[in-house]
Amino acid sequence: MRLLRLFPDDTKIPFMKWRKWSFLFSGIASVLCFVVLYTHGMNTGIDFQGGTLMEVQTKSGPADLEGIRNQLNGLGLGEVQVQSFGADDDVLIRIARQEGGDEAQTAVISKVQASLGDGVDYRRTEMVGPRVSGELAENGILGIISALALIMVYVWFRFEWQYSLGAVIATLHDVVLTIGFFAISQVEFNLSSIAAILTIVGYSLNDTVVVYDRIREMRRKYKRLNLVVLLDLAINQTLTRTTNTALTTLIALAALVIFGGEVIRSFTASMLFGVLIGTYSSIFIAAPVLIFLDPQLAGDKSTKKVEDDEGAVEPA
Amino acid sequence: MLYFSRWKVTAILLTIFVALVVLIPNYLSSDQIKSHWPSWLPGRQIVLGLDLQGGVYLLYQVDVTDYKQKRLKALEGDIRQAMRDEPRLGYTGLGIQGDVVQLKIRDADKFDEAGKRLHNLLNPLSTATLGGTAVSEFQLDQGSDGLMRLGFSSAGLDKRLGTVVQQSIEVIRRRVDQMGAVEPSIQRQGSDRILVEAPGEKDPARLKNIIGRTAQMTFHLVDLNVSPDEAAKGNLPPGEILLKQKEAGGIPMVVDETPLMGGEDLTDAQTSFQSQTNEPVVSFRLSTSGARKFAQVTTDNVGRLFAIVLDDEIISAPRINEPITQGSGQISGHFTVETANDLAVLLRAGALPAKLSVAEERTVGPGLGADSIAAGERAAMIGTVAVVIFMLAAYGLFGVFANVALLVNVILIMAIITILQATLTLPGIAGIVLTMGMAVDSNVLIYERIREEQRLGRSPISAIDTGFRRAFGTILDANITTLIAAIVLFQMGSGPVKGFAVTHVIGIVTTMFTAITFTRLVVATWVRYRRPSVVPL
């Protein structure tokens, strides 16, 4: 049986040669993410804004979105969003946070239920008060920062500080682009999105660490090898692993996005995007960034001068 | 590296066997477990989250401001009383100012006496024991010009809130239990919050209505001499208040502010039916002292109306036709059987010590829960099959090994979830699916390593041996970083996020276990029986 090989065994792809392009690309993409984030903002869900979300299912036939919208607008609850959610008879209703305290929020649910009556099934109701939503947002940001800090310490202990910094730069890059993904796609950003980001952080680091592991091993083996050549070698050697793992993970995630249901789609879709970015960054950002962090990392004082001349130093 | 001692093999196989046994009850109904499953075997099933079986998640917030106001109001009354004790002390300007009650003592030579009397009101909540300091609820701020301020001490308020939350939890538990909810979880969260989770609850609105009610019941005399219209304009005699009636269209009534009796005098409440009209009513029974008080009051006020008030709303206002001495009575208020039952539950369970408001609410209907399980199972199935096919295509025979390891991994994950009784949620299922995608990573790392070693010219056994050894360090480093992120997620997460983090953490751990032990065992066994001349990778 012939086994499926995506790449030949000994690829010699000059990844480091492209680093200027990948940095340029990532730089522009990151800036773009910030710009879109600033101009359009994120479609933050009720977890962080407070407010009410209800999922209802009409009992007879497809839902009349326009009718429901008009009906609910008549209740005077401020901004009301009514949209279809997956199937024809599934409707998602979002109502902005009310003026006043917790009671005002709670009252929304009963008002909507009184208005829509028994013609619909109430599948899901979520209400988050103003105080809780602030705390949830705070905890989310705190969680991402502390995860990054802890991982930085771990990588620093296991490797060297350059790797630690490199891993964090690559991971931050992924976080920024994923946040940009939320801003551009306007997919709802909620608590599970924070979970998605942390998962992406974990995955991307996993990938980066595998590449770094190989770089460290090569460094011990070929003490005088030019860093650029060494990085290329390490990435090429781990390339099949990187792509195969990315593929199986993407396959699993794609199944979740397509078949996992509407409730977790924002979660799974963002993870799908994140795994792609994470794989890209461990090859095109995490490894080449080491060149900038410390040209002497390879222990070769002449590194700087010859770094772009391929083949200037032959592997030992 | 490829040698396994016998006890090690036994341990690995035993682990898998135990996991399988733990999993079996998940495929049995609870009746089958009771009648057929041996009681000495673990008989627990996976706990499904609210999002998978439907149910209610309610986060209540103690209304601290309201509670403080109530306490200060009571303190104000106590102060007035204390100043009236003989010999009376003259004062002016008694009132609540923000968070303190203040008053001014008239005579300069009475300052000390007044200070002494107020000091008695500080209400010690704990006495100084070894190493600890005494905590009083209030603190006294005594000005030299006779201005006295009493406000909460911060330690006192904390302690008070703690008690309030604890009492509230007990009251809520009694209420929820009496409603017959299945395995509700009620716990304190932070300093002033209570989390109630009731999985499988079909009527969230009713549950919410019951839990959130303060249910403070009081009896007041009605003053018919003042018209409600006048009262609404603000012309209320001192010590009287205007309350609305619960009954739709009922006119408000003017009642004495000080209740004749409170809910604490009740010992029991039951639903019953009025003999003539067959209307549901709530009959109650009073404690001995309550009955005595009630008898006295009804004797003194025959012919007058008295209002039965629940949370500042008049439920009914019957006329006292004759003295009621036997210590029991009925409340009628156009109830349905259900509302009468609910009221009886509330009265039996007692009043909440403070107002609670809903800070966060998430309810999932049973229909959506079932749909979510179905969607999760379908996605898991399709995802797994796709990963299995990919591994077969990429690694052939070794793909089979990887897939067996994957199967073992899933068995272990599910078994650990069952043993820990961790809650499985929809994001949790996503965590498992993601883990399956990532779990083959360790195998991929090992196999790619073996390939490389073989290309370098090593013999099959040596290549396999080195491959496992070299990949081991990488697997460890890579998975520990992922584990850190997942643990942080678990620490910070609530509800759905936690559900995801749990399965993800478990998945990473089992993945490391299967990669390091199980896959190696399988490959080693294969090597021993086949003695391959080439590793088919």
Side-chain angles (χ1 to χ4, degrees), chain B residues 257-321:
Chain B
E257 189 174 6
T258 325
L260 300 172
M261 272 177 36
E264 59 277 5
D265 291 315
L266 287 176
T267 53
D268 191 23
Q270 295 292 341
T271 316
S272 58
F273 294 89
Q274 204 165 39
S275 43
Q276 294 111 334
T277 57
N278 215 21
E279 193 198 355
V281 292
V282 176
S283 39
F284 59 86
R285 179 160 288 287
L286 294 166
S287 65
T288 323
S289 66
R292 207 174 300 134
K293 238 191 285 178
F294 202 51
Q296 182 67 46
V297 167
T298 47
T299 315
D300 293 351
N301 295 288
V302 169
R304 288 188 69 179
L305 296 184
F306 81 101
I308 300 169
V309 176
L310 186 74
D311 293 344
D312 296 334
E313 254 184 358
I314 299 172
I315 299 182
S316 69
R319 187 174 297 279
I320 304 169
N321 292 324

Side-chain angles (χ1 to χ4, degrees), chain A residues 31 35 82 133 248:
Chain A
V31 170
V35 170
V82 177
S133 58
T248 51

